[in-house]
Amino acid sequence: MAARRQWDNTGSLFFALLCLCEWSVAQISYSIFEEVDKGTAVGNLAKDLNLNVQQLQSAGLQITSGYKQHHFDINHDSGVLFVSKRIDREELCPNTVKCSLNIEAILSNPRSLHRIEVVINDINDNAPSFLEETTTADMSESSYVGERQPLPIAHDADVGTNSVKTYKLSPNDYFSLDIQSNGDQSVSAELVLQKALDREKQAVIELTLTAIDGGKPPKTGTLQIQVNVLDVNDNPPVFSKSLYKVQVVENANIGTTLLMLTATDLDDGVNGQITYSFTEKGRLNPEDKFSLNDNTGEITVKSNFDYEQNQAYEIRVQARDKGNPPRSAHSKILVEVIDVNDNAPEISVSSLMSPVREDAEIGTAVAMVTITDKDGGKNGVTNCKIKGSVPFKLKSNYKNYYSLLVDGPLDRESVSQYNISIAATDEGTPSLSSTSVITIQVSDVNDNPLNSWNLLSMFM
């Protein structure tokens, strides 16, 4: 009888530890601003999980995440999810409009998992800035009224309404400012000549360009512009287009021709001879990826592209004649990188609950499976399935998130361990796939009666 009582106590403990309840597929969403103080409440997780304060201790509420740093924690007395580490949106999600952190809430009694998305909202904590404090522009004194001079672009680490929204030019007698917005692309500005230049009257014009973001209150950054008025080569080159658009596949061979720039100059002799060059070299130097023949205007591939790192490049080019002084024209090139299916799906397993009791009910959650694919479009669309015949199934929760559930009776005396092969395949052409194996142990329950010989030996 003492042995029997010992089993009852141990069995109760195992039951409490291993009991798995129906998997929760609901997603909880919160949002906070970056840079809030530590301890700031994100949301009442207990309330959103329908738990009262008295149930918190028995429910065993915990949160986990797949990140190296944990930015959130749970108050086990109130059930409030709060910020435990400084959150810098620009550090977590550079160059992205939406920034969110995904964590999981785990309840041990009853056993369930819940996916939590915390959207990190931007605050205006970065001012616009230019790569350099000063820049120069050369303009001929014979420049016609309405002639344009592109200006450097200001950069702002903030996004959305807090990014650069407009520019302002200091008052002057010669130039106005034309502001251009390329939709989701950055806002740019050009100097527009409003009054004929005369080098003999004023050889240098000093201007200040101010970049202004959309924050409230707005932040600003400035650039000092020195316009050098040059003498007489009276016809500038003219590009065939003010904006060139071209596409390139990310696995294009080095040396592949992308584009042939064309500019003309009405002047004769050296004043009509044109050379081509890249102009502004920002954070992404075009010379790292492209080669430009300065005589022919041919642009070719110089190094490999990676769609997953950059989907597009904006290049500024110049056509400059050989007059004395020279004159130039400017154009933009938008290079769109086309994705190829060069990344296989990746399978990750979290919240694995093993061993599983052999009397676990059908529908009992065993693990969470996440499928990711770095490719875009159809190349990044994935399908997931279990290979072979096992008493488990995958249930889609949300997009590429799946629950691994018990789907049939388990019998430890027949099979004490399952190696479940999960295959993920994308919809690229040709498609790529990957496989991951999850090992599930089956734990014993007292479901077999003692035979007469074992029963007799207990009393001897």
Side-chain angles (χ1 to χ4, degrees), residues 83-258:
V83 175
S84 61
K85 184 178 179 61
R86 175 177 175 264
I87 297 176
D88 185 348
R89 192 201 65 80
E90 287 76 28
E91 181 179 84
L92 291 173
C93 311
N95 304 318
T96 61
V97 175
K98 181 181 179 181
C99 179
S100 63
L101 297 175
N102 295 314
I103 58 179
E104 296 171 5
I106 302 176
L107 297 177
S108 60
N109 184 23
R111 177 72 69 176
S112 60
L113 297 173
H114 300 266
R115 184 174 180 270
I116 303 170
E117 178 187 49
V118 181
V119 178
I120 311 301
N121 295 320
D122 184 43
I123 63 172
N124 193 25
D125 57 343
N126 292 280
S129 64
F130 294 88
L131 292 179
E132 299 178 344
E133 295 180 354
T134 62
T135 188
T136 59
D138 296 336
M139 295 194 72
S140 170
E141 64 174 343
S142 61
S143 297
Y144 59 88
V145 173
E147 187 168 330
R148 294 168 177 265
Q149 180 78 22
L151 296 174
I153 297 172
H155 301 274
D156 193 323
D158 294 319
V159 297
T161 58
N162 294 325
S163 62
V164 176
K165 293 302 179 186
T166 190
Y167 294 86
K168 182 175 69 174
L169 187 66
S170 59
N172 68 95
D173 295 332
Y174 292 95
F175 297 97
S176 64
L177 196 64
D178 181 29
I179 301 171
Q180 303 168 349
S181 178
N182 299 321
D184 294 335
Q185 302 294 326
S186 58
V187 179
S188 60
E190 292 181 339
L191 285 178
V192 182
L193 186 62
Q194 299 295 320
K195 178 182 175 180
L197 300 172
D198 188 344
R199 191 194 63 81
E200 287 70 30
K201 290 183 178 180
Q202 188 172 355
V204 177
I205 302 171
E206 301 285 349
L207 303 170
T208 300
L209 178 67
T210 302
I212 307 170
D213 67 23
K216 294 182 180 180
K219 293 182 181 293
T220 61
T222 58
L223 173 71
Q224 302 302 315
I225 305 171
Q226 177 180 298
V227 180
N228 299 318
V229 182
L230 307 178
D231 219 14
V232 171
N233 173 20
D234 57 356
N235 285 291
V238 178
F239 276 103
S240 59
K241 294 181 180 180
S242 61
L243 176 65
Y244 295 86
K245 294 183 178 180
V246 65
Q247 295 180 329
V248 58
V249 293
E250 64 175 334
N251 62 350
N253 294 327
I254 294 175
T256 300
T257 298
L258 295 182

Side-chain angles (χ1 to χ4, degrees), residues 239 244 256-262 274-279 281 286-302 315-320 331 333:
F239 276 103
Y244 295 86
T256 300
T257 298
L258 295 182
L259 179 66
M260 186 72 73
L261 296 174
T262 303
I274 297 173
T275 59
Y276 300 90
S277 63
F278 297 121
T279 53
K281 298 177 177 65
E287 293 181 353
D288 293 339
K289 294 292 183 182
F290 308 95
S291 294
L292 173 59
N293 187 309
D294 59 353
N295 291 318
T296 65
E298 181 185 29
I299 297 178
T300 57
V301 174
K302 184 178 181 180
I315 307 171
R316 294 189 175 197
V317 290
Q318 172 182 268
R320 186 182 182 97
S331 183
I333 305 170

Side-chain angles (χ1 to χ4, degrees), residues 25 176 289 302 321 338 356 416 428:
V25 299
S176 64
K289 294 292 183 182
K302 184 178 181 180
D321 65 29
I338 305 301
V356 177
S416 61

